[in-house]
Amino acid sequence: MADGLNIEHHGHGHEHEHEHAEQQAPVQPIDTASLPDVKLTPTAIEMVRKMRAKEGLGADHGMRIGVVGGGCSGFQYSLNFDTQKEGDRVTDFGGVLVLVDEISLPYIAGTTLDYVEGLHGAGFRFDNPRASRTCGCGSSFSA
């Protein structure tokens, strides 16, 4: 899922005209241990349970939430059933596991996943406090 994820960082280029220009510090890895977990509402938990049962999957299969490049705003949410992989952040919601890979976590930490039903259909909705902009369909965002 993380294959092909291109993340562009736009910084400000500073040209130093002095020979004794300061060296930039190396990029430090993000401390994902300090980031908040992804949350599920009770409605989303129940819907994940129903979908997992419909697919005939056991409790070892969790809902993998991630991000991939694309969508109309730059990143797109990804949902699928999967088993735990090395490096995953795993949160247990009463027997429903939520799996988030370490590349996706900085972009969706603290996100609440809900399941809503309306006139235009039903589906999962993401409330992402880290998104600076979202699209009308609610399935893509920019960080």
Side-chain angles (χ1 to χ4, degrees):
M1 176 178 59
D3 294 332
L5 179 62
N6 294 319
I7 302 168
E8 293 182 19
H9 295 282
H10 296 283
H12 299 285
H14 295 286
E15 298 294 329
H16 295 282
E17 295 180 14
H18 305 288
E19 286 183 26
H20 58 281
E22 293 180 22
Q23 293 288 328
Q24 288 187 351
V27 175
Q28 297 297 320
I30 295 171
D31 178 17
T32 56
S34 66
L35 293 173
D37 290 331
V38 172
K39 303 174 199 75
L40 267 66
T41 65
T43 307
I45 293 169
E46 186 59 30
M47 190 52 60
V48 171
R49 279 193 183 113
K50 288 179 180 179
M51 292 176 154
R52 187 176 63 187
K54 186 177 179 181
E55 295 285 326
L57 302 172
D60 60 328
H61 280 78
M63 173 70 75
R64 180 170 298 282
I65 304 174
V67 296
V68 293
C72 49
S73 296
F75 294 103
Q76 189 167 326
Y77 296 107
S78 169
L79 287 174
N80 63 298
F81 287 106
D82 199 1
T83 55
Q84 184 177 348
K85 308 271 190 281
E86 186 177 343
D88 282 346
R89 168 77 65 94
V90 181
T91 310
D92 189 334
F93 292 92
V96 171
L97 299 179
V98 173
L99 315 168
V100 181
D101 66 82
E102 56 191 358
I103 293 172
S104 297
L105 184 59
Y107 297 97
I108 59 173
T111 295
T112 299
L113 181 65
D114 195 6
Y115 189 84
V116 294
E117 296 183 28
L119 293 175
H120 295 287
F124 288 102
R125 185 185 72 189
F126 296 86
D127 179 14
N128 185 345
R130 297 177 183 278
S132 62
R133 188 179 73 219
T134 59
C135 67
C137 62
S139 64
S140 79
F141 69 101
S142 60

